[in-house]
Amino acid sequence: MSSFRRSGTAFHEEDVALEHREPLDTRELFVWFAVHAVEGVEHAIPTSYSRTVMLPGGPAWFRVHDRGHGLRLHSRVTDPTDLPVLTARVRRLLALDADPVIVDRALSRVPELRPLVAARPGLRVVGSMDPEETLIRTLVGQQISLAAARTVLGARTREMGAPAPAFATGLTQMFPTARALAEHGEQFLRGPQARIRAVLGAARALISGELSLSPDDDAAQQRAALLALPGVGPWTADTVRMRVLKDPDVFLVDDGALRAGAARIGLPSEKRALTAWAQDAAPWRSCATTHLWGPLTPPSTFTESEQP
């Protein structure tokens, strides 16, 4: 670990290897991040993913990169005690402790999934860097395209997010906190009133303590708490459960993109029939969900340049 100062801001820096089980398709992960990236907060290219994040000791920045010599984590934090916290969160985000061989072997026993698994061995289910952020982003992304969600989240981040620290190379913003959304959301949030109420309600519940989200939550209790919020339905609650809790057996049958992917390979698109089919993929239905979404098309920003 090294300590530095940039533009008057002190930070602590570390570069470590990220051990993981093979296979791991890092490019597929970086494409996922590029498709979902919030401008100013995140940036992904074929060899790396970088973002800002708020940790207990203050703002931080990291870059996960793979340039043919293994996966590495380059991190900068305000408080050096946050370095292990950040490393643990990155490992959960990338699902680096998963055993892809076991999952692939199980899903390959499902005839319709076998060619998908063969095409993308070791596919990871992306986790969560920050549970509260994951909930807000999921709510904003309800019933709109990924591109539209990126546009909306980018605009709201510029309006309500704090500036990134000077050491956050190439990035400009922190994602808005629940408090910022609760205090300023009525001024800046746009779109259907039901979605605005859902985002504001979730933000206020988070800052009041009525709702707390953690990777250690009981799955049933977390789901019930989320469904009790206005405007939060099963798709949102289950998406959060899949990503925040790393629940391996979530099947997002209410997801339009999943049902479209199912139809492409000849599966029934009707919810009841598709849910019944998915029983064969248990207990790895989260990975089956990710396979059915299919390979994502990278945005135009997904270039070979290391700098955003």
Side-chain angles (χ1 to χ4, degrees):
M1 181 183 71
S2 304
S3 298
F4 300 91
R5 182 173 294 274
R6 176 174 294 182
S7 301
T9 303
F11 63 94
H12 307 271
E13 187 170 54
E14 186 175 69
D15 192 287
V16 297
L18 289 171
E19 300 297 330
H20 58 275
R21 295 181 176 92
E22 295 288 352
L24 174 65
D25 188 342
T26 55
R27 189 182 188 281
E28 188 71 21
L29 278 172
F30 296 152
V31 169
W32 194 97
F33 290 124
V35 168
H36 293 82
V38 176
E39 184 179 4
V41 175
E42 305 168 278
H43 183 72
I45 60 171
T47 56
S48 72
Y49 166 65
S50 58
R51 71 157 290 168
T52 59
V53 64
M54 183 61 69
L55 298 177
W61 168 94
F62 71 86
R63 175 177 286 142
V64 177
H65 56 91
D66 183 357
R67 303 187 184 96
H69 304 290
L71 197 62
R72 299 194 65 84
L73 171 64
H74 180 195
S75 54
R76 295 172 180 168
V77 299
T78 303
D79 183 339
T81 63
D82 280 339
L83 283 167
V85 175
L86 178 59
T87 301
R89 289 202 195 183
V90 169
R91 293 194 65 83
R92 287 184 64 83
L93 179 71
L94 304 181
L96 296 183
D97 295 317
D99 189 331
V101 173
I102 289 176
V103 178
D104 285 359
R105 185 181 299 129
L107 293 182
S108 292
R109 297 190 185 106
V110 182
E112 297 87 352
L113 292 176
R114 190 175 300 126
L116 304 185
V117 174
R120 294 195 291 170
L123 183 70
R124 297 308 206 264
V125 179
V126 174
S128 168
M129 197 68 202
D130 180 287
E132 295 185 2
E133 176 187 312
T134 297
L135 172 58
I136 297 301
R137 290 174 68 154
T138 304
L139 285 169
V140 170
Q142 289 183 114
Q143 299 178 334
I144 60 175
S145 69
L146 287 176
R150 289 184 66 203
T151 299
V152 170
L153 288 165
R156 302 297 82 83
T157 295
R158 289 189 293 273
E159 293 160 348
M160 291 182 281
F167 59 74
T169 300
L171 299 174
T172 58
Q173 300 291 142
M174 306 296 294
F175 192 83
T177 62
R179 184 168 298 280
L181 284 160
E183 293 177 352
H184 306 293
E186 289 185 349
Q187 177 184 357
F188 291 114
L189 289 174
R190 303 285 186 271
Q193 284 301 308
R195 187 165 67 220
I196 293 174
R197 286 194 298 269
V199 173
L200 290 175
R204 289 164 179 163
L206 287 166
I207 65 172
S208 71
E210 174 190 346
L211 175 69
S212 62
L213 294 175
S214 154
D216 301 317
D217 289 347
D218 175 83
Q221 291 177 359
Q222 184 195 87
R223 191 175 192 273
L226 288 170
L227 290 175
L229 295 175
V232 175
W235 179 84
T236 297
D238 290 336
T239 298
V240 171
R241 178 163 58 100
M242 184 172 76
R243 297 195 56 206
V244 171
L245 300 186
K246 300 298 295 175
D247 187 327
D249 202 30
V250 177
F251 191 65
L252 295 177
V253 73
D254 290 308
D255 189 275
L258 177 145
R259 293 202 305 275
R264 281 196 300 271
I265 62 171
L267 292 172
S269 57
E270 191 273 324
K271 291 183 184 180
R272 182 176 299 179
L274 189 56
T275 299
W277 168 85
Q279 293 292 333
D280 289 343
W284 308 110
R285 284 175 287 187
S286 296
C287 197
T289 291
T290 307
H291 274 295
L292 290 176
W293 280 330
L296 297 169
T297 302
S300 59
T301 54
F302 195 70
T303 67
E304 298 292 340
S305 171
E306 186 65 54
Q307 294 297 327

